[in-house]
Amino acid sequence: MILIEKIYHRGHDEVTTVDQIDSFQTNDGYVTKNCVLAREIGADNENCFYKNTEGKRKKVVATKADDGQWHLKTIGSTDTTTDGLLQLPHMDNVWG
């Protein structure tokens, strides 16, 4: 099981879709690229969750596009006002 704690994205624009997130920090301290995490979840049927603003676990799922690219999406809305994944804390620095 993977639990996402923080997000990292380039630029200062507001994040409105999961694909805009560059990397994720998981509860074990690893920083994983968006496409790598999506492939792991989708190909291995790995369970991935994040805690929303109410502290409840919500599931993250992955889908494979026609071009073979994996994309993350959350179950439910990706509207920034309601999607807890997009409201996760942002990482200040990412090394590596």
Side-chain angles (χ1 to χ4, degrees), residues 17-35:
T17 68
V18 179
D19 282 342
Q20 289 174 293
I21 299 171
D22 185 61
S23 303
F24 297 91
Q25 180 176 322
T26 55
N27 62 326
D28 54 9
Y30 284 102
V31 176
T32 307
K33 290 278 185 195
N34 188 330
C35 58

Side-chain angles (χ1 to χ4, degrees), residues 1 17-18 27 37 43-45 50-51 66 75 78 81-82 89:
M1 184 190 79
T17 68
V18 179
N27 62 326
L37 185 64
D44 300 333
N45 295 317
Y50 67 96
K51 285 186 181 173
D66 292 338
I75 293 178
T78 53
T81 57
T82 59

Side-chain angles (χ1 to χ4, degrees), residues 35-95:
C35 58
V36 174
L37 185 64
R39 190 174 65 235
E40 286 178 8
I41 295 168
D44 300 333
N45 295 317
E46 181 87 52
N47 285 324
C48 183
F49 300 91
Y50 67 96
K51 285 186 181 173
N52 66 7
T53 51
E54 299 167 358
K56 294 180 180 177
R57 278 190 185 176
K58 295 285 187 176
K59 194 167 186 181
V60 182
V61 295
T63 56
K64 193 174 189 179
D66 292 338
D67 62 1
Q69 294 290 316
W70 286 98
H71 298 280
L72 290 175
K73 63 179 182 177
T74 56
I75 293 178
S77 174
T78 53
D79 177 9
T80 51
T81 57
T82 59
D83 193 337
L85 180 64
L86 302 178
Q87 295 172 355
L88 284 171
H90 290 206
M91 288 182 272
D92 294 327
N93 294 297
V94 175
W95 298 99

